[in-house]
Amino acid sequence: MDSDALNTFLAVHRRGGISHAAKFLHRSQPAISRRIALLEQELGVPLFERVAGRTRLSDAGRVLIPYAERAVAAAQDAEQAIRALTKQNAGPVSLAVTGTLADGRLSSIMKRFAKEHPAVSLALRTATSAEVSDLILRGEATIGLRYNTDRSGDLACEQVLSEALQVVCAVDHPLAGKRVKRLAELGGERWIAFPEIRGRREIAAAHVFALFLTQGLGEVEWTAVDSLTAQKRLVESGFGLALLGQSHLAEELRAGSIATIAVGDLAAQQHIVLVTRRGGFLSAAAERLLESIRRNYALDVSARRDARKRSPARKGVARRRSV
């Protein structure tokens, strides 16, 4: 059972059949069919079955998936490790990032890295936090940046930033710039949040509802919006409230296009985490990108801390009375 056979098996599974896998791997369909047949013969069990004209995994195929993914990823590690012996500042580095983290800060990091390491092929793809972890586990991405720690023992997670979540509203909202004692007082508002997609759970999507559930409020009027930019524009227009991270609001707060509502019993935070495969090979270029991300997020934390120390008492505090 070699890595090529396992890679072919994974391609048939992920692409949904022999023909699509053949196109993806740039091979003929008979060659793919033969490779799968030899693997099934070696294992003594069928790995796929045809149901209603579609190719789907057999029970044995489902068992094989995680082992095949690890084996293929390990083979890729070995190949990259050998190449790194001769080219320390070259080669591919793939970064998988939760969509809302693909912001100006990350683009600045990537732009500077690309300028300093022109021989490195740097690729970026966006996904949900759960999908970021899956891409790292499968070896399809080198470094991941997602929300909150993944509990998988096959992943190494490193928290680089923790930021508070804030309730935001339109500047002409009756509570703009004010304070309420309890989140429950906002239960009658319309909320804007990321959708919860079946089979692709995204922790950020559940923040609003989990917080209200802890208050004993299970029914909240909300609108699902899968774009952070669209959420902010809807909040600006007065369509509803949202619960967003501080870094996502910096530009709008500076421009005065969005306001916040302080909530006495709200202590929600989201953690931004670097993810790599535990024990997986990281090229010199990947290590440098990791260090660049760590350094820039650490600088961001220091800048916020210094800004808080320098800033005088806010004039708006006196207006933030309980209602």
Side-chain angles (χ1 to χ4, degrees), residues 277-289:
R277 195 152 39 81
R278 191 178 299 279
F281 171 76
L282 290 175
S283 66
E287 292 281 10
R288 289 188 176 93
L289 179 57

Side-chain angles (χ1 to χ4, degrees), residues 12 24 26 37 65 86 89-90 101 116 120 198 220 242 263 282 285 291 310 314-315:
V12 174
F24 176 71
H26 304 291
I65 284 291
T86 56
N89 294 311
L101 292 175
E116 294 172 354
V120 175
R198 187 181 300 275
V220 179
V263 180
L282 290 175
E291 181 54 36
R310 290 195 303 269
R314 297 177 182 173
K315 296 180 180 179

Side-chain angles (χ1 to χ4, degrees), residues 247-273:
S247 62
H248 298 147
L249 300 167
E251 182 178 339
E252 286 78 13
L253 290 174
R254 281 196 301 268
S257 61
I258 274 182
T260 61
I261 301 173
V263 180
D265 64 351
L266 178 63
Q269 291 189 326
Q270 62 184 7
H271 307 301
I272 299 174
V273 176

